[in-house]
Amino acid sequence: MCGIIGYIGNREAQPLLIEGLKKLEYRGYDSAGIGVIPTGKQHIAVQKTEGKIIDLISVLEKHPLASGCIGLSHTRWATHGVPNHRNAHPHFDCSKKFLIVHNGIIENYEALKAKLVAQKHVFRSDTDTEVIAHLIEDCYSGDLLEAVRKAVKLLRGAFALGVISSYQPDQIIAVRTGSPLIIGVGQHENFIASDVPAVLDSTNRVIYLEDGHMARLTRDRVEVFSFEGERVSPAVHKVAFNIEAVQKQGYAHFMLKEIHEQPDVIERMLKFRLKGMAVGLDGLTILPEHFKRVKHIYIVACGTAYHAGLVGRYWIEALTTIPVTVDMASEFRYRNPIIDKNTLVIAISQSGETADTLAAVKEARARGAKLISICNVVGSSLARESDGVLYTHAGPEIGVASTKAYVAQICMLYLLGLKLSQSFKKISTKQRQQYIKELKRVPGLYRDILHRKKVIHRIARKNSHFGCFLFLGRNINFPSALEGALKLKEISYIPAEGYPAGEMKHGPIALIDEYRAVICVAPQTSLYEKMISNIQEIRARKGKVIAIATEGDLSIKKHAHDVITVPPLEENLTPLLVALPLQLLAYYIAVHLGCNVDQPRNLAKSVTVE
Ligand code: M6R
């Protein structure tokens, strides 16, 4: 939520900030703004606007900023205050000598604001952020770093901040607690940013600022301190992906590009994690003896990652006999879960920055649970919080709708289940090897489906007029139905509901008539015939049926209006396979309806507020 970038160096700040900001637009697109200290001047020049970065660029074309080599920029996902010009970042103090950009929420801003107003500070926005600028103004007595340090000690909540001042135009102050912030380390120039892609055009050397740390950046130096003022020496990491990974590379949308990357993502993971027929999970630092003591596993996650967790439950329970509970992180943290040192928590998150997931794992750890996370973003807050991290290495996911991250998460959960099964001896070595052999077929099967994507495109166009979709699945493919529905609703805004097919008659069947479409996830599994009965119940009520079925299934054609086929595969692994046509179906429907699939309304990629 919200993307921030800052630059200090010898180059013109504005173009670098705008280009970097574009790479952060997935984090929010309600408003955008930029502030630069013009070279040799005593003031800070600011432009901002409601809307997207493209709107900010139009404003800058009409009202260009004076030339300067230090500045900050921001793209907003609104929390406090409606998305308009007044609430767009950056924000000034009263004197307009201090300028700040912020990602996060200041929980005690009302009390702070009341005090500041009583001291005659004049506020120009309805945001929580603006209090920080006024606090810095109050705390300043010649040293910007010290003023920011004093100010942040008064704040409660989550924040990543960038601060500049025309009193000291040779430095940017960066602060992190609870919201991500990296420092891009260049040659005679340095950057701050919410995420690595924003700086990749200029440098691949980054510092992941820790919670409770702040930094002073000048052209030639980065100094990092704790909030207590102690100097720390952070590691400088070389980023493993390059700028191409965060470009569309000829695809119409990031979502489509990311869908197409999936066979490579799975292939790469299997190559890295499978040593012959044995599963090697480096990063899983918890010992096999400890696993044997585990009495209960909780999987916590949000959104798509939660659906991945639901799939994982089937596998882990079947492969270990340990009971698994899957919780939405936002609920888990408030329901007083029963946890002790024999509990293992598996947290799943693409970004590793989801506020609810982070709060849930902190709660679980405080009660003595061990924590493994499945995470895509290297160095994220969740990864740092965990006893063991299984990185999915799916590469940057820019489309707000999660696709390749989901597939990588479920693939990793399967590998984790297989790995744990070695300790629990629930299945024979031969059986495990058979599963691994099947798993290795998946990238090739993905490529087959992608070659035939025109069929899915045609079926999507044909059915895009339906005003409501029901997604049904059974057993291990019930989460597939949930995920299919989430994909469709978030990018097309069509109401869509995922349900276990067996539950249909307990309520959702009332929705069915000739104006609704039902997507039935019906590959050849042990419950196939029961699914066919459900399809007949839908047909009897004039519902339109689109089935995802196994190639060679001739009988489904008699029951469904449209059929999308996937190649045959071991039943356990079907959620991995059906994910692809469900993603494509949602994508093509949304594109046909003219929706902005990469930046759906009201959403942001990384939900760093509660
Ligand atoms: O970064 P995370 O995996 O923790 O994000 C969790 C959800 O916010 C995310 O999956 C969201 O539901 C996506 N928009 C789904 O496509």
Side-chain angles (χ1 to χ4, degrees):
M1 329 235 82
C2 300
I4 65 183
I5 176 163
Y7 172 77
I8 182 160
N10 294 321
R11 293 191 278 166
E12 195 62 51
Q14 181 184 309
L16 290 169
L17 292 174
I18 294 294
E19 276 315 301
L21 200 62
K22 285 183 190 165
K23 311 276 180 353
L24 298 175
E25 198 163 27
Y26 70 87
R27 303 181 66 85
Y29 28 83
D30 288 332
S31 64
I34 182 169
V36 166
I37 305 181
T39 307
K41 302 284 190 222
Q42 303 293 308
H43 71 279
I44 310 176
V46 168
Q47 285 298 355
K48 48 190 186 176
T49 181
E50 181 182 341
K52 301 193 171 187
I53 296 168
I54 189 123
D55 302 306
L56 179 64
I57 294 170
S58 306
V59 170
L60 289 168
E61 276 163 8
K62 282 188 217 126
H63 309 284
L65 293 177
S67 158
C69 301
I70 170 172
L72 300 172
S73 195
H74 187 274
T75 181
R76 178 170 188 241
W77 186 87
T79 58
H80 297 63
V82 294
N84 58 14
H85 179 277
R86 169 183 164 81
N87 292 327
H89 294 221
H91 290 287
F92 274 124
D93 67 311
C94 300
S95 67
K96 296 199 169 178
K97 290 290 185 189
F98 302 94
L99 189 76
I100 73 161
V101 285
H102 167 217
N103 169 31
I105 284 187
I106 306 304
E107 286 165 4
N108 58 337
Y109 88 99
E110 279 182 339
L112 292 169
K113 187 169 177 176
K115 271 195 203 155
L116 289 159
V117 168
Q119 291 163 13
K120 306 274 179 271
H121 281 267
V122 177
F123 279 74
R124 300 183 188 89
S125 78
D126 314 311
T127 63
D128 53 339
T129 302
E130 195 184 341
V131 295
I132 312 169
H134 293 277
L135 287 174
I136 295 170
E137 178 182 26
D138 261 6
C139 296
Y140 187 75
S141 57
D143 180 357
L144 185 58
L145 179 74
E146 193 49 25
V148 176
R149 199 174 72 79
K150 283 186 183 152
V152 297
K153 291 205 132 194
L154 303 171
L155 304 177
R156 238 186 19 245
F159 43 90
L161 302 175
V163 184
I164 55 174
S165 169
S166 54
Y167 286 132
Q168 291 181 265
D170 61 343
Q171 57 189 272
I172 296 177
I173 306 300
V175 183
R176 175 196 164 130
T177 200
S179 298
L181 198 66
I182 63 108
I183 296 171
V185 182
Q187 289 284 339
H188 308 300
E189 60 184 11
N190 291 303
F191 297 80
I192 59 165
S194 299
D195 198 0
V196 173
V199 304
L200 270 186
D201 264 334
S202 303
T203 180
N204 64 356
R205 296 170 64 228
V206 302
I207 295 170
Y208 298 100
L209 206 57
E210 298 275 343
D211 271 353
H213 284 180
M214 54 197 298
R216 172 163 47 204
L217 285 72
T218 59
R219 280 179 184 79
D220 293 303
R221 208 165 170 203
V222 175
E223 299 166 282
V224 180
F225 306 89
S226 69
F227 284 5
E228 278 61 53
E230 287 150 14
R231 195 178 281 272
V232 289
S233 312
V236 180
H237 299 264
K238 201 162 169 223
V239 177
F241 53 87
N242 56 23
I243 192 72
E244 281 77 48
V246 293
Q247 288 166 342
K248 284 192 206 149
Q249 297 179 316
Y251 287 95
H253 298 98
F254 279 110
M255 182 177 174
L256 189 62
K257 175 193 169 216
E258 288 156 8
I259 288 173
H260 279 80
E261 283 173 341
Q262 293 178 130
D264 292 348
V265 167
I266 304 169
E267 204 158 63
R268 208 164 48 228
M269 184 184 291
L270 299 186
K271 203 167 160 200
F272 182 56
R273 301 290 185 178
L274 292 176
K275 323 277 176 228
M277 283 295 180
V279 182
L281 294 184
D282 298 348
L284 189 68
T285 45
I286 300 170
L287 300 170
E289 301 84 83
H290 182 85
F291 281 121
K292 288 204 181 140
R293 287 202 301 270
V294 171
K295 298 276 179 296
H296 195 116
I297 296 177
Y298 280 98
I299 300 182
V300 292
C302 297
T304 285
Y306 166 73
H307 298 155
L310 290 173
V311 177
R313 171 172 63 189
Y314 288 87
W315 291 333
I316 295 173
E317 283 190 341
L319 293 167
T320 66
T321 62
I322 304 174
V324 179
T325 304
V326 190
D327 259 332
M328 289 172 187
S330 53
E331 289 296 314
F332 175 88
R333 57 186 292 198
Y334 293 116
R335 78 169 175 80
N336 204 9
I338 298 158
I339 287 175
D340 60 22
K341 61 181 181 4
N342 295 324
T343 309
L344 175 68
V345 171
I346 302 173
I348 309 172
S349 173
Q350 187 286 130
S351 62
E353 302 295 346
T354 299
D356 285 317
T357 309
L358 285 169
V361 301
K362 282 184 183 148
E363 181 66 36
R365 292 204 73 189
R367 294 172 186 224
K370 283 271 183 208
L371 171 66
I372 297 174
S373 61
I374 295 180
C375 217
N376 192 36
V377 176
V378 175
S380 60
S381 302
L382 179 62
R384 280 182 274 169
E385 192 71 36
S386 309
D387 295 303
V389 190
L390 297 173
Y391 281 119
T392 49
H393 294 300
E397 192 179 62
I398 310 288
V400 166
S402 188
T403 53
K404 64 175 178 174
Y406 172 71
V407 161
Q409 286 158 356
I410 57 177
C411 198
M412 184 59 86
L413 283 159
Y414 196 62
L415 291 174
L416 178 61
L418 289 173
K419 175 81 185 168
L420 296 183
S421 75
Q422 288 168 209
S423 310
F424 289 89
K425 306 213 174 346
K426 176 83 198 326
I427 54 169
S428 66
T429 306
K430 196 164 163 229
Q431 178 73 79
R432 190 166 38 251
Q433 290 181 348
Q434 183 54 33
Y435 287 159
I436 290 174
K437 220 168 130 195
E438 279 292 276
L439 186 57
K440 285 183 172 172
R441 291 179 54 223
V442 173
L445 302 183
Y446 258 64
R447 291 189 181 105
D448 283 355
I449 298 173
L450 286 169
H451 277 134
R452 298 184 271 115
K453 62 180 184 242
K454 272 194 185 143
V455 178
I456 305 175
H457 193 174
R458 185 179 50 73
I459 293 174
R461 287 171 73 102
K462 188 176 150 199
N463 292 288
S464 57
H465 61 284
F466 283 104
C468 171
F469 281 79
L470 189 61
F471 286 69
L472 299 179
R474 273 186 176 265
N475 194 35
I476 197 161
N477 280 310
F478 159 50
S480 306
L482 289 175
E483 176 57 10
L486 176 62
K487 282 292 85 81
L488 182 65
K489 73 182 127 189
E490 72 178 329
I491 59 171
S492 72
Y493 320 136
I494 299 174
E497 212 174 335
Y499 244 89
E503 273 290 298
M504 181 178 65
K505 55 190 167 300
H506 299 289
I509 199 164
L511 290 173
I512 293 170
D513 60 19
E514 63 267 49
Y515 306 111
R516 331 278 157 140
V518 187
I519 313 277
C520 295
V521 183
Q524 286 287 355
T525 63
S526 46
L527 295 178
Y528 172 76
E529 280 167 6
K530 294 201 183 295
M531 196 69 205
I532 293 294
S533 304
N534 294 130
I535 291 177
Q536 275 160 349
E537 288 157 13
I538 300 161
R539 292 292 306 256
R541 286 154 185 87
K542 298 196 183 132
K544 174 86 189 194
V545 175
I546 303 159
I548 315 275
T550 305
E551 257 165 51
D553 175 353
L554 299 177
S555 82
I556 195 101
K557 298 214 167 104
K558 290 191 265 163
H559 305 294
H561 295 93
D562 288 304
V563 181
I564 296 170
T565 58
V566 294
L569 185 68
E570 147 70 39
E571 171 164 359
N572 263 336
L573 287 169
T574 50
L576 205 46
L577 211 51
V578 300
L580 176 57
L582 289 169
Q583 294 164 351
L584 285 169
L585 200 59
Y587 171 80
Y588 287 129
I589 290 176
V591 169
H592 188 66
L593 295 177
C595 300
N596 185 344
V597 292
D598 280 340
Q599 295 177 347
R601 68 184 180 204
N602 303 338
L603 291 173
K605 181 75 184 158
S606 157
V607 185
T608 55
V609 295
E610 193 182 341

